[in-house]
Amino acid sequence: MRRATAGIERLIRAARRRGERFLSEHDSKRVLAAYGVPVTREVLVRTSAEAAAAARRIRYPVALKASLPGEAHKTERGLVALGLGGERALRAALGTLRARAGPVFRGEFLVQEMVRGSRELALGMVRDPQFGPCVMVGLGGIFAEILQDAVFRVAPLSRGDAREMLGALRGRRILEPVRGLPAVDRGALGRSLVAVGRIGLDHPDIAAIDVNPLIVRGATPVAVDALVVLSPAPAA
């Protein structure tokens, strides 16, 4: 864990040197993965040849995303292409996304595995001035804004705290077996909640974490998109 913590601090310092308040999606997931949160298999690339090689390793179909630090609405800006089934489609999508990305784009793309699942959750952390890191779990995807079904708890969390949070969701039946889908692995989901709280405690420079969606593949929740927000100034 000490090595992982040092790696995260290097990511934070590098972002600050660039004058950025956000980690890229790829770096945000590196933070999560270092604490055991399941994330997508993905490769950061710059050229169409690198993208094609990455897609062959990951296996089609893949998703392609323009990588812009702090961009929380890539889908709405047309910076995401999903379900690319072959190299021709991948190369065409890369050209389209490059044209849409705008002048701040540094030329990096994420080639990412497609995670199939009909249930979407969200989790995160926000640093409250009085209480410190607070962990959130709720329904994800478009339902995050429509239903506003979310539960918060001050870190650190025990596994029992995480179970109580999941049980407090109004839409908790989404975690149960439904329409032929297995029950969500609540143990894995609970460990992710505990981990996000631990990240907040270990790294005071991180002001917030947003993971949305967390798609349930079979029984396992996987972080498909993530954003780490840094505090305005380095922690004392």
Side-chain angles (χ1 to χ4, degrees):
M1 182 55 69
R2 183 177 298 176
R3 178 181 294 181
T5 299
I8 292 169
E9 291 300 316
R10 283 195 294 273
L11 292 176
I12 293 171
R13 288 195 298 271
R16 291 212 184 276
R17 283 196 297 271
R18 294 192 296 268
E20 296 170 352
R21 282 279 317 279
F22 308 89
L23 300 187
S24 68
E25 177 183 337
H26 185 56
D27 285 346
S28 296
K29 288 180 183 167
R30 291 170 68 185
V31 173
L32 294 170
Y35 280 77
V37 178
V39 302
T40 48
R41 291 183 297 125
E42 60 191 36
V43 180
L44 193 65
V45 302
R46 284 185 169 273
T47 68
S48 56
E50 291 175 354
R56 286 194 293 272
R57 290 199 300 273
I58 292 172
R59 294 187 179 180
Y60 290 100
V62 296
L64 182 70
K65 300 178 178 179
S67 180
L68 284 83
E71 178 53 67
H73 301 287
K74 290 188 289 289
T75 300
E76 291 82 348
R77 287 192 55 194
L79 300 177
V80 176
L82 301 176
L84 301 172
E87 186 170 332
R88 177 178 294 183
L90 177 65
R91 289 175 180 268
L94 190 143
T96 300
L97 267 55
R98 190 190 299 277
R100 290 174 178 168
V104 299
F105 183 50
R106 297 202 301 254
E108 293 179 334
F109 299 88
L110 271 184
V111 180
Q112 189 177 100
E113 68 170 324
M114 289 294 300
V115 177
R116 303 291 188 185
S118 56
R119 290 175 288 184
E120 297 187 356
L121 301 167
L123 65 86
M125 184 279 295
V126 61
R127 189 175 301 279
D128 181 86
Q130 181 175 0
F131 298 108
C134 298
V135 179
M136 181 280 295
V137 64
L139 301 189
I142 60 173
F143 297 113
E145 297 180 5
I146 296 172
L147 299 179
Q148 298 185 349
D149 184 4
V151 176
F152 290 81
R153 185 71 61 91
V154 176
L157 300 184
S158 67
R159 293 186 180 182
D161 293 330
R163 284 194 297 272
E164 288 181 7
M165 290 177 70
L166 298 177
L169 288 170
R170 297 195 306 275
R172 57 187 173 276
R173 288 191 62 186
I174 197 174
L175 306 177
E176 300 174 357
V178 59
R179 291 181 175 269
L181 298 172
V184 175
D185 185 341
R186 293 191 184 216
L189 185 54
R191 287 191 292 276
S192 292
L193 293 177
V194 172
V196 168
R198 191 73 249 167
I199 294 170
L201 291 168
D202 289 348
H203 302 281
D205 275 0
I206 295 180
I209 300 171
D210 182 20
V211 182
N212 187 14
L214 188 78
I215 294 181
V216 181
R217 176 169 53 192
T220 304
V222 180
V224 172
D225 201 350
L227 180 65
V228 168
V229 183
L230 304 181
S231 58

